[in-house]
Every structure is written in C-alpha cells, then in structure tokens.
Amino acid sequence: KYMLAEIGGISDRTAAENILKTQLYIDRAALPQPEDGSYYIDDLHDELADFMAATVSIFLIRDPRFTLASYHRLDPAFSLTEGGLESQWRHLATLQRRKLPFMVIEAETISADPASAVRAMCEFAGIPFIADALTWGEETIPDDWEQASAWHQASMKSAGFTAPDKRDPDDVFANAVKAGPHLRDYLDHHQPYYDRLKALAWQVGDQVSAVKA
C-alpha cells in the first residue's frame, strides 16, 4: 500500500469513495521550477516560448546503448520517457518550428577534442572561451551534485574531460539487457530519435554558424 495524497476533510473510506473520479488540479505556479533538461519540460513548450527564445539551446547526446545501460545501473526502474532522446527531439523540433537557433553535440566529440568542442559551444553561446575551464578541481564541484552524488561519481573524481569510451557499445548494452530485458524495447524506441539528432550534430571542423537552424 502506498500513500499518494492526503486531502483535508477526507478521513475515512466512505469519504474517499464519495470523491471517486473527481479530477484534482494544482496551479503550476505552486509547483517547483522544472529541472534542466528536455525531459522535464516536455509538456511546457508553449508556456516556455519566451524563455526558449531567450535561451541558448545546446543538446548533448550520447549513444543510447551507453546511456540506457548507465541509467539502468543507477535506476533499474527508470521509465521509457526518462530515456530522454524522444524528449530532446521534441524540444529541438519545437525550436525548428519557431526558427530558433540550436546546437547538437555528441559526448564522444567532446571527449575526443575537448578544446575544439568547448570553443565551438562557447562561440555558439556568444561567450568567451577560457582554456582553464577544460580542467577543474574539487572546489569547483557544484553544491547540488552532493545530493545526487551517485549520478556524478566519475565527474566528481575527475580533473578534466576523459578520453573517449573505448568499450564496444554492443557489449555494454548486451550486458545491461541481461539484467533488464525491457531495455531492448527502450533502445528500439529511442534509437530513431538519436539518429535524427546525430544527423544534426556539430563535428570538429564544422562552422558553428552552420549548426544554427
């Protein structure tokens, strides 16, 4: 049994049965601000139209065989939607319809050439590139990472960008599927969205202006 909600004045089974099928609402203004990431604003594209227009949008993507395996290791009960790539594509498609600029970049591209990748993202965002930002120390770890430290262990122990992942993504995913067979369905669902995003991804040597749509 789980407690989903407590409603004032409803103190017994009879009172609860009397409000069956009653639709309950809460003003969105009373809810916390959505977190960063396309998944968290999936139903807010219209409400955030002005915010989107004033925001620099850079989409970071990674091979879903790696991301789904990693997510499942940390949270075996994560949902199909939380896989994220469909939400990223829906977000990007909204920007395209509104003729707003965006940039897509792969994690592998950043790992392979951090300086070029970060320089390109800074140029796109209209901010100066600072070479010292390619390395960091413990004192620069964001405070809010502590409450979700399990998700950031590798980054929290690092001092800079790591080399590209040399593992075979098929092997990594096959091992994950042994523990979570449903991941195959998740990959089938998200792969097409990843392929669309990847086709728009910036590569070293590209003109940054070319990735703006």
Side-chain angles (χ1 to χ4, degrees), residues 13-20 22:
R13 184 184 182 91
T14 299
E17 289 176 343
N18 287 336
I19 64 169
L20 282 176
T22 299

Side-chain angles (χ1 to χ4, degrees), residues 41-122:
I41 62 167
D42 234 357
D43 61 341
L44 298 175
H45 290 187
D46 290 337
E47 294 179 43
L48 295 177
D50 290 342
F51 180 77
M52 286 184 177
T55 300
V56 175
S57 298
I58 300 178
F59 295 85
L60 175 65
I61 61 172
R62 189 185 183 204
D63 188 320
R65 290 170 294 181
F66 283 130
T67 57
L68 294 174
S70 177
Y71 209 146
H72 184 264
R73 186 176 65 255
L74 291 165
D75 180 9
F78 83 99
S79 69
L80 175 67
T81 306
E82 288 176 302
L85 286 162
E86 178 183 8
S87 296
Q88 283 189 299
W89 176 255
R90 284 162 50 84
H91 184 176
L92 184 149
T94 295
L95 298 177
Q96 285 183 315
R97 287 195 300 273
R98 295 174 181 166
K99 302 187 184 307
L100 295 173
F102 61 84
M103 180 179 187
V104 181
I105 191 164
E106 295 179 90
E108 294 81 359
T109 299
I110 299 175
S111 295
D113 190 344
S116 295
V118 173
R119 186 185 298 276
M121 288 188 284
C122 289

Side-chain angles (χ1 to χ4, degrees), residues 2-204:
Y2 299 92
M3 172 68 76
L4 297 180
E6 183 175 348
I7 302 174
I10 307 300
S11 57
D12 57 38
R13 184 184 182 91
T14 299
E17 289 176 343
N18 287 336
I19 64 169
L20 282 176
K21 298 185 178 180
T22 299
Q23 293 186 335
L24 305 176
Y25 300 89
I26 184 170
D27 193 306
R28 184 173 289 282
L31 297 174
Q33 289 297 311
E35 298 185 41
D36 294 338
S38 300
Y39 164 72
Y40 297 102
I41 62 167
D42 234 357
D43 61 341
L44 298 175
H45 290 187
D46 290 337
E47 294 179 43
L48 295 177
D50 290 342
F51 180 77
M52 286 184 177
T55 300
V56 175
S57 298
I58 300 178
F59 295 85
L60 175 65
I61 61 172
R62 189 185 183 204
D63 188 320
R65 290 170 294 181
F66 283 130
T67 57
L68 294 174
S70 177
Y71 209 146
H72 184 264
R73 186 176 65 255
L74 291 165
D75 180 9
F78 83 99
S79 69
L80 175 67
T81 306
E82 288 176 302
L85 286 162
E86 178 183 8
S87 296
Q88 283 189 299
W89 176 255
R90 284 162 50 84
H91 184 176
L92 184 149
T94 295
L95 298 177
Q96 285 183 315
R97 287 195 300 273
R98 295 174 181 166
K99 302 187 184 307
L100 295 173
F102 61 84
M103 180 179 187
V104 181
I105 191 164
E106 295 179 90
E108 294 81 359
T109 299
I110 299 175
S111 295
D113 190 344
S116 295
V118 173
R119 186 185 298 276
M121 288 188 284
C122 289
E123 182 180 342
F124 179 78
I127 59 176
F129 168 70
I130 301 174
D132 288 347
L134 298 175
T135 57
W136 51 83
E138 292 184 4
E139 70 279 0
T140 62
I141 294 173
D143 293 337
D144 59 354
W145 277 22
E146 292 295 340
Q147 58 188 320
S149 59
W151 295 87
H152 304 298
Q153 281 298 318
S155 296
M156 292 173 72
K157 295 177 180 178
S158 69
F161 292 96
T162 57
D165 195 331
K166 297 298 185 181
R167 296 175 298 167
D168 185 322
D170 285 330
D171 289 344
V172 171
F173 189 70
N175 287 330
V177 167
K178 292 176 183 177
H182 62 287
L183 293 177
R184 291 195 184 280
D185 293 332
Y186 282 23
L187 181 63
D188 288 344
H189 179 84
H190 285 289
Q191 186 70 49
Y193 298 109
Y194 172 73
D195 292 340
R196 294 177 197 173
L197 290 161
K198 183 179 173 67
L200 298 171
W202 177 87
Q203 300 294 330
V204 174

